[in-house]
Amino acid sequence: QKEVEQDPGPLSVPEGAIVSLNCTYSNSAFQYFMWYRQYSRKGPELLMYTYSSGNKEDGRFTAQVDKSSKYISLFIRDSQPSDSATYLCAMSGGSARQLTFGSGTQLTVLP
Amino acid sequence: NAGVMQNPRHLVRRRGQEARLRCSPMKGHSHVYWYRQLPEEGLKFMVYLQKENIIDESGMPKERFSAEFPKEGPSILRIQQVVRGDSAAYFCASSLGQLNTEAFFGQGTRLTVV
């Protein structure tokens, strides 16, 4: 079993839809949770960073962390074609200083 | 993030040759991480370095791979005697402190072994 599980998709939605992306994890030591966006053949770009449980909002993006369920989510409101990319969850904590990534969800927002 | 510079962007090597990948972190960042991304997969941690020190190399293959971050100059990921299975995108990330805070990635080096 992978430490971080992420549905690879692909996920296709119409413009303006609300998108929900999710990851589950098994390591209870994880405390820091990130979402990265990666366009094709580019480097990952940090979107959201959350510490421990709770919600964080930034514009059209909302990150949620539920440590009791070991489940994190990223919501995108009013999705745009420019949001089409692969979204990677990542996390760290405990003795590990590196990030552990999910495999990524490929999102396409159709105009 | 344009602040982390990786070069070359594309590298083609024949089997048995050496590959050298370079990473210049963002200004002021002294922590560097290397990750490898295979097609359709997420990023896998390889090594974490600070200036002149390897802090964690638990993700590095035991043979043929090495990394350094000298006092002056970029961090280097070196792959000796490359094989086809080394073909991947290699990403470098840098941060101000340990990676529990925000990390910024470069655009990657895409290595193709022919």
Side-chain angles (χ1 to χ4, degrees):
Chain A
Q1 183 188 5
K2 292 181 180 179
E3 268 192 302
V4 179
E5 297 278 359
Q6 185 174 6
D7 186 342
L11 181 62
S12 187
V13 301
E15 184 175 355
I18 296 175
V19 176
S20 173
L21 304 167
N22 311 293
C23 288
T24 58
Y25 63 95
S26 57
N27 188 343
S28 57
F30 287 147
Q31 300 176 66
Y32 300 88
F33 304 92
M34 292 83 165
W35 285 96
Y36 285 85
R37 177 174 63 195
Q38 187 176 25
Y39 292 112
S40 179
R41 309 190 74 77
K42 299 290 186 183
E45 172 193 6
L46 181 65
L47 280 177
M48 303 281 287
Y49 154 58
T50 308
Y51 171 71
S52 194
S53 285
N55 294 358
K56 186 173 184 179
E57 188 173 322
D58 184 1
R60 296 186 295 112
F61 298 90
T62 299
Q64 289 186 350
V65 175
D66 182 349
K67 290 191 69 180
S68 63
S69 302
K70 296 188 177 68
Y71 187 88
I72 70 170
S73 300
L74 178 70
F75 298 95
I76 307 173
R77 291 184 299 280
D78 187 24
S79 56
Q80 303 295 309
S82 59
D83 295 329
S84 298
T86 297
Y87 289 80
L88 299 156
C89 64
M91 44 200 81
S92 70
S95 61
R97 295 168 179 169
Q98 72 272 21
L99 294 174
T100 301
F101 281 85
S103 57
T105 299
Q106 185 180 345
L107 171 68
T108 300
V109 180
L110 302 170
Chain B
N1 188 299
V4 179
M5 303 302 294
Q6 289 188 250
N7 65 82
R9 291 293 309 277
H10 302 275
L11 182 60
V12 179
R13 284 288 178 265
R14 295 186 183 279
R15 280 178 295 172
Q17 289 185 320
E18 178 180 287
R20 282 190 178 229
L21 289 63
R22 288 176 291 277
C23 169
S24 296
M26 285 183 70
K27 187 175 181 180
H29 286 192
S30 59
H31 299 251
V32 166
Y33 303 77
W34 286 92
Y35 289 81
R36 176 165 61 179
Q37 186 174 38
L38 294 169
E40 310 300 325
E41 292 189 19
L43 285 82
K44 305 295 184 187
F45 168 76
M46 299 183 73
V47 62
Y48 162 41
L49 311 103
Q50 294 181 27
K51 285 284 187 180
E52 300 185 276
N53 287 301
I54 297 174
I55 306 302
D56 182 353
E57 56 182 349
S58 58
M60 287 276 271
K62 296 289 184 248
E63 298 177 350
R64 301 188 297 109
F65 285 72
S66 62
E68 63 177 10
F69 189 14
K71 186 177 180 180
E72 301 291 337
S75 175
I76 306 288
L77 179 67
R78 182 184 179 200
I79 311 172
Q80 295 178 291
Q81 299 175 324
V82 297
V83 301
R84 289 232 171 101
D86 296 333
S87 296
Y90 292 82
F91 290 96
C92 165
S94 74
S95 66
L96 272 173
Q98 296 178 13
L99 205 58
N100 285 343
T101 57
E102 298 176 3
F104 295 91
F105 281 80
Q107 295 300 300
T109 293
R110 278 159 182 82
L111 172 66
T112 302
V113 179
V114 297

